[in-house]
Amino acid sequence: MADGPFWSPPECGQRRVCYVTTAEDQAVPNALGSALDDITVVQAETTAEACDRIRTESIDCVVSEHHPPEIDAVSLTERVGAVERPPPVVVYPADGDESLATRVLAAGADGYVPQGGPDGGQELLRDRVVDVLESTRTCRRHRWREQTLEELVAQSDDVLWMVSTDWNDVYLRNEAFEDLWGVSTAALDTGETSILDAVHPADRERASEAMEQLSAGSPIDIELRVNPQESYERWVWVKGHPVTDGACVERIVGFSRDISDRKARERELHGQKEKITALHRVGTTIESCETPSSVHEKVVAAAEEILEFDVAIVNEVQDDCLVPQAVSSHLDSDKYYGRIPVDTEQSDAAMAYRTGEAIVVDDIRTRDVRPADTAFLSSLTVPFGDEFVFQSVSRESGSFDEASLELVELLCTQAQARLNRIETEQQLRQQAAELEQQNERLEEFASVVSHDLRNPLNVATGRLELARRDNDSDHLAEVANAHDRMEELIDNLLTLAQEARQLSEIETVSLAETVERCWRTVETATATLDVQTALSVRTDRARLRQLLENLIRNSVEHGDERVTVTVGTLPDQSGFYLADDGPGIPASEREDVFEPGYSTATDGTGFGLAIANRVAQAHGWDLSVTAGADGGARFEITGVETD
């Protein structure tokens, strides 16, 4: 493997050469020092001094002359070889012979270079020293790499392995293998079992195919269930790579990593998603509940069946106490409080209600609360709405976590939404019933009043006609006008009472066509109509005409003879408006104009705008008045369903 920043051993700086000699001449040290930039030469004059330096200093190579007894190259070589990690020795004798060469090489010397020639053998010595230094460095690198690899393999939690292409020979396999795969290396080595025996039966075919793929020269990346000792519940990630010489696969290397925790989290996440989906389906069934009690029962059933809770309870606040509204079917009523005061400090349910925050307890025994049953060890409490508390308890500690809390909060949110709608629907039904009763009484009153008024009015009108035949006068004409006004008041009273009734057929109507038809039926004199809308609305056609006719009549009667009435669409398409360029309605009077009997005209009945407002309310629309762009009155009708 090539050297690199992730595989090269640390270098030790300058390499030190110990030159053992009695000579004071520096020619040899200089020659050695010039061989490589990182060589430093130190000297020793005796064998003993050289050995002391080797024991106490970092010496990478020894170059020794031979001048017994002070310097004995044979003895020095033997003594150097006895130390731990001995440096190489090169003997450089002045009077060498074959006998000395044989003895020093036999003692373990790494080189023998006799002094001789024009330069005294210095060039040969230098080359030899460089060779042994480089060889020593290479050996050290190899040892470092082997040691580092051994440490990595020994310390790794992953299983590292190297095998032959036929999978019969194992070159490398660390101790983590047996714990992860659940089979002994001895049984594998003797052939008593196969690596495939450690794989879950359902995964063996895929594992066998992966092994064949590696042997054929293709890498693999696979996840398997392994370890028969643990019922194959361990999951491993296996990644393998073939090592080739360019053409043929020489060996196979790879690793196996325990991914059981990751798989457990994936299963948990998948289960969480399935539960969320199931809770959404429950939300649909909760939507069909007609009563609060049926909603509570659905919540408890979902907690048991979907969330798999042992015990589930829904409490409601009644008279400052939490009272169970729905409980698990198997719950012993003697083992749960009937009523819990909301101000007690010994109940998580009461505390959750007061704070509005959920409470998850891993071990109830660590809290200053009094459970309904001492067998309950953990609990989950979630308040929802303004008056409900969901609670679940378990006989095992640590049964609830954040995931449980999220699921319960989802379930409670769905329940609260339906409970709110049930309450709203009940209020609307009650209001509708009360309104219906009021309308019936009002219509009955109007009919009675109109009947009681019409009879004497008819008598008075008949007598007036007879009187005017005998002696007509301006006074009698005023009496006739008063009779007409009384007739108009009676008609308006009946109309106002009847406008509260429900709408009949709802259909799509052209607003422009309806406005133009209403314009033709109202006395408008010389007034002008400007229709600026193409809107179509969903309405009761007859009631819409009543609304428009009263608004048009109001604009014409309160403006001059040249008043212009404009009908258009509101900018946000939420409805339409009717505006005029007459005198307008003062801001202080705009809230009063829709009250029955209110009128600023001396000859007005005060019922026209009230009738228009009743029609709008019957449709679910909002009728309001503001100032128009030309200073007149502008009536806006919003909340209109349009096509």
Side-chain angles (χ1 to χ4, degrees):
M1 183 179 293
D3 292 340
F6 302 107
W7 191 242
S8 295
E11 302 296 352
C12 299
Q14 290 291 106
R15 288 181 283 184
R16 293 163 58 84
V17 176
C18 180
Y19 180 39
V20 188
T21 180
T22 58
E24 296 181 359
D25 185 7
Q26 295 297 309
V28 173
N30 290 339
L32 293 175
S34 64
L36 293 171
D37 293 338
D38 63 346
I39 290 180
T40 298
V41 181
V42 298
Q43 291 184 222
E45 296 181 355
T46 64
T47 298
E49 182 182 356
C51 289
D52 287 341
R53 278 188 175 273
I54 292 170
R55 284 193 299 271
T56 60
E57 302 175 20
S58 175
I59 301 298
D60 296 286
C61 181
V62 177
V63 176
S64 176
E65 295 185 357
H66 182 65
H67 299 294
E70 292 84 0
I71 302 175
D72 186 335
V74 177
S75 175
L76 176 63
T77 302
E78 291 174 345
R79 294 174 65 179
V80 169
V83 303
E84 185 178 359
R85 295 184 181 177
V89 178
V90 177
V91 178
Y92 182 55
D95 299 318
D97 55 30
E98 291 185 6
S99 174
L100 177 62
T102 300
R103 285 185 292 140
V104 297
L105 292 175
D110 295 273
Y112 180 85
V113 181
Q115 300 177 19
D119 64 349
Q122 292 180 15
E123 184 175 354
L124 290 176
L125 175 64
R126 183 181 60 195
D127 291 344
R128 184 56 185 158
V129 168
V130 170
D131 286 345
V132 296
L133 284 173
E134 291 301 309
S135 177
T136 300
R137 172 169 284 182
T138 299
C139 289
R140 286 178 177 173
R141 286 175 176 171
H142 288 164
R143 285 198 302 271
W144 181 86
R145 288 171 179 168
E146 290 175 359
Q147 181 181 358
T148 302
L149 180 59
E150 289 175 358
E151 293 173 352
L152 287 173
V153 170
Q155 297 299 322
S156 175
D157 292 330
D158 295 336
V159 176
L160 307 178
W161 46 270
M162 180 187 300
V163 298
S164 61
T165 56
D166 59 6
W167 297 83
N168 290 328
D169 298 320
V170 178
Y171 305 136
L172 172 67
R173 181 175 56 212
N174 59 345
E175 295 181 358
F177 173 81
E178 290 191 358
D179 177 67
L180 180 57
W181 287 75
V183 294
S184 70
T185 55
L188 287 174
D189 294 339
T190 59
E192 295 179 22
T193 187
S194 163
I195 187 65
L196 289 176
D197 294 332
V199 180
H200 192 288
D203 295 344
R204 286 176 187 167
E205 183 176 354
R206 290 193 304 118
S208 179
E209 292 173 353
M211 294 170 67
E212 294 175 0
Q213 186 175 330
L214 279 168
S215 298
S218 298
I220 61 103
D221 190 324
I222 191 173
E223 295 178 355
L224 302 168
R225 289 166 290 178
V226 300
N227 200 316
Q229 302 299 325
E230 299 181 11
S231 302
Y232 301 103
E233 292 184 356
R234 288 278 195 106
W235 275 90
V236 295
W237 170 33
V238 182
K239 192 167 185 178
H241 189 83
V243 179
T244 67
D245 62 358
C248 299
V249 178
E250 294 185 335
R251 57 190 177 277
I252 299 170
V253 298
F255 73 87
S256 303
R257 178 171 298 169
D258 189 346
I259 58 170
S260 302
D261 289 343
R262 193 196 80 193
K263 285 293 186 179
R265 288 192 298 271
E266 290 177 356
R267 289 194 299 271
E268 183 179 347
L269 180 60
H270 179 70
Q272 188 83 347
K273 290 181 178 179
E274 287 187 336
K275 289 178 180 178
I276 290 175
T277 301
L279 288 180
H280 282 304
R281 289 196 295 268
V282 170
T284 302
T285 63
I286 288 178
E287 272 302 310
S288 63
C289 293
E290 297 294 337
T291 62
S293 60
S294 61
V295 173
H296 302 151
E297 291 169 359
K298 290 288 185 183
V299 170
V300 170
E304 289 181 324
E305 298 168 8
I306 299 175
L307 305 186
E308 301 176 340
F309 290 171
D310 295 336
V311 175
I313 308 100
V314 174
N315 296 292
E316 182 181 12
V317 177
Q318 297 177 1
D319 298 329
D320 294 329
C321 286
L322 289 168
V323 181
Q325 300 300 303
V327 298
S328 297
S329 56
H330 61 276
L331 184 64
D332 186 347
S333 59
D334 294 335
K335 293 185 178 180
Y336 197 79
Y337 299 110
R339 300 173 70 88
I340 303 175
V342 297
D343 57 356
T344 181
E345 297 293 334
Q346 295 184 322
S347 168
D348 283 331
M351 188 177 302
Y353 169 74
R354 292 196 306 272
T355 63
E357 297 180 356
I359 300 175
V360 180
V361 179
D362 291 332
D363 191 340
I364 296 177
R365 294 169 297 184
T366 63
R367 295 175 58 80
D368 187 19
V369 297
R370 186 163 57 91
D373 185 348
T374 56
F376 297 150
L377 297 181
S378 58
S379 65
L380 170 62
T381 309
V382 179
F384 63 101
D386 295 329
E387 52 191 11
F388 298 103
V389 176
F390 171 92
Q391 189 169 48
S392 181
V393 290
S394 172
R395 291 177 173 81
E396 296 181 3
S397 59
S399 295
F400 306 101
D401 53 16
E402 288 299 319
S404 304
L405 175 58
E406 291 177 3
L407 292 171
V408 170
E409 287 179 337
L410 172 60
L411 177 59
C412 290
T413 298
Q414 294 173 325
Q416 185 58 45
R418 182 53 188 158
L419 289 170
N420 289 342
R421 283 191 288 274
I422 289 175
E423 182 179 4
T424 301
E425 290 167 1
Q426 290 175 340
Q427 292 175 349
L428 290 175
R429 284 194 294 269
Q430 183 177 353
Q431 292 173 359
E434 292 175 353
L435 182 60
E436 182 66 23
Q437 290 178 355
Q438 292 175 358
N439 291 337
E440 289 176 356
R441 289 195 296 268
L442 178 60
E443 191 166 351
E444 181 180 358
F445 167 76
S447 297
V448 171
V449 170
S450 65
H451 178 270
D452 291 347
L453 289 177
R454 283 187 192 277
N455 286 337
L457 180 60
N458 290 336
V459 172
T461 300
R463 292 292 184 177
L464 177 61
E465 290 179 359
L466 294 175
R468 295 185 71 179
R469 291 177 185 175
D470 296 337
N471 185 18
D472 196 7
S473 68
D474 293 339
H475 295 295
L476 295 179
E478 289 298 325
V479 172
N481 290 336
H483 289 173
D484 291 340
R485 180 158 179 77
M486 290 176 66
E487 183 71 30
E488 183 180 2
L489 286 170
I490 293 171
D491 290 340
N492 285 335
L493 179 62
L494 281 173
T495 301
L496 184 64
Q498 293 169 350
E499 288 308 322
R501 69 183 185 276
Q502 293 184 347
L503 303 177
S504 56
E505 182 181 358
I506 301 298
E507 56 184 318
T508 301
V509 175
S510 168
L511 180 61
E513 293 179 1
T514 306
V515 169
E516 291 171 352
R517 180 172 298 179
C518 292
W519 186 263
R520 292 193 295 268
T521 60
V522 176
E523 293 185 8
T524 56
T526 59
T528 302
L529 175 65
D530 182 12
V531 179
Q532 300 179 1
T533 180
L535 201 65
S536 293
V537 299
R538 298 283 296 166
T539 181
D540 180 327
R541 185 189 299 270
R543 306 288 287 280
L544 176 62
R545 290 189 60 181
Q546 287 179 329
L547 182 148
L548 292 172
E549 288 172 356
N550 278 283
L551 293 181
I552 292 171
R553 187 177 295 110
N554 178 81
S555 294
V556 173
E557 291 178 352
H558 289 80
D560 59 31
E561 60 183 11
R562 293 183 302 277
V563 68
T564 297
V565 177
T566 303
V567 179
T569 305
L570 292 175
D572 60 358
Q573 302 290 315
S574 64
F576 57 93
Y577 67 88
L578 185 147
D580 61 56
D581 57 359
I585 300 174
S588 60
E589 299 180 11
R590 290 173 187 165
E591 294 184 1
D592 301 326
V593 296
F594 298 115
E595 293 297 326
Y598 183 88
S599 177
T600 58
T602 57
D603 58 347
T605 64
F607 286 98
L609 294 182
I611 292 173
N613 191 41
R614 288 289 180 87
V615 172
Q617 291 175 345
H619 281 83
W621 302 342
D622 289 323
L623 174 60
S624 61
V625 61
T626 184
D630 297 324
R634 175 183 168 106
F635 294 92
E636 294 185 351
I637 300 89
T638 57
V640 179
E641 182 181 355
T642 61
D643 280 345

